[in-house]
Structures are given as C-alpha cells and as structure tokens.
Amino acid sequence: MWAVTGWAAATWLRVTLALTLLLGVLWLALGTGSGWFWAAVAAAALVEWHTTRALAAEWGYEARYTWWWTR
C-alpha cells in the first residue's frame, strides 16, 4: 500500500510543480494584468482539482483491495 501512496503523492507533486512552473513563466511573460494569465490560473486550478480527485479515487480503489483488513 505504501507503494501506491508514494506513487500518488509523487504524481500529485509532479503535476503541482509543473503547473506552478508554467504559471510562473506566464506571470513573468504576461503579468497579472493580462486576462490570458488569469484564464491560465483558472485552467491550472481545474487541472489540479481533476488530478487530485483522480489520484484520490485510484488510491481509494487500491486501498479497498490491498490493505490488511480486507484480507
């Protein structure tokens, strides 16, 4: 189970860091006065939300079938 937990945490961290770097570059290039920047922030928030929900669902599925109390 720890392997799945580690995988989910590492995947979430990679996605979060990639989105943070992307938004940082866009912030430097466009500035906060740009509508495109705020559209990218909204899109990044949706990607983060979807990723978190998908990883939590995958972790929960794995937990139901591999933890010791289900054996």
Side-chain angles (χ1 to χ4, degrees):
M1 187 59 207
W2 287 111
V4 175
T5 302
W7 168 82
T11 302
W12 174 80
L13 187 59
R14 278 192 301 253
V15 170
T16 300
L17 288 175
L19 290 173
T20 302
L21 288 173
L22 176 67
L23 287 177
V25 168
L26 288 175
W27 174 65
L28 290 173
L30 300 174
T32 57
S34 171
W36 288 108
F37 172 74
W38 292 109
V41 169
L46 287 174
V47 167
E48 182 74 21
W49 176 75
H50 179 71
T51 301
T52 303
R53 285 183 46 101
L55 287 170
E58 180 70 24
W59 185 87
Y61 174 79
E62 194 67 29
R64 277 191 292 277
Y65 296 110
T66 59
W67 276 19
W68 60 270
W69 61 74
T70 60
R71 294 182 186 175

